[in-house]
Amino acid sequence: MVGTELGGYAARLDRRGRLVALAFDQDRIVASMLGTALRAALRPRRIKLFSNNPSAERLAELTRSAERGDVRPVVHAVLPMADIAEAHRGLEAGGVRGKYVVDMGRHG
């Protein structure tokens, strides 16, 4: 996802949806961190916090969740490295649902 309005994203989840928060609003860092932590504490099966510098244990936990199907990434498109500028333009324009995957083995 692009953006840090996690409350809005969480409200859009379907009843089985999950949200993994990777970032906080840098303009409101304390409020964003506290709000996300509170949401995760109140709804631990729906909202998880994930550090950008995770420990091996946290990575293993995320891997197990993905293998069980508890967390399923939404992929907007798979692009070769040569199209990375296209991915950035798409993110900047908005309307991207999911993540871009950059296939490092494909060169165009």
Side-chain angles (χ1 to χ4, degrees):
M1 79 179 104
V2 175
T4 54
E5 295 297 325
L6 298 180
Y9 291 115
R12 289 180 179 86
L13 293 174
D14 71 18
R15 66 179 183 82
R16 293 184 349 203
R18 304 286 187 268
L19 182 142
V20 179
L22 300 175
F24 300 104
D25 185 338
Q26 295 300 310
D27 294 332
R28 304 176 305 124
I29 192 78
V30 173
S32 179
M33 290 175 72
L34 292 174
T36 303
L38 180 60
R39 284 184 190 91
L42 294 173
R43 303 180 88 182
R45 292 204 27 86
R46 293 191 41 97
I47 300 175
K48 297 281 186 188
L49 299 175
F50 189 79
S51 166
N52 286 329
N53 186 19
S55 66
E57 294 83 21
R58 290 291 286 162
L59 285 172
E61 177 186 347
L62 183 61
T63 299
R64 287 190 299 274
S65 292
E67 289 171 344
R68 284 192 308 265
D70 294 340
V71 175
R72 288 184 312 271
V74 176
V75 176
H76 183 81
V78 178
L79 301 170
M81 185 63 164
D83 292 343
I84 195 74
E86 177 185 334
H88 279 275
R89 283 190 295 275
L91 290 170
E92 290 167 1
V96 173
R97 177 168 162 63
K99 294 290 187 182
Y100 282 110
V101 175
V102 178
D103 185 338
M104 301 301 282
R106 287 176 48 203
H107 298 287

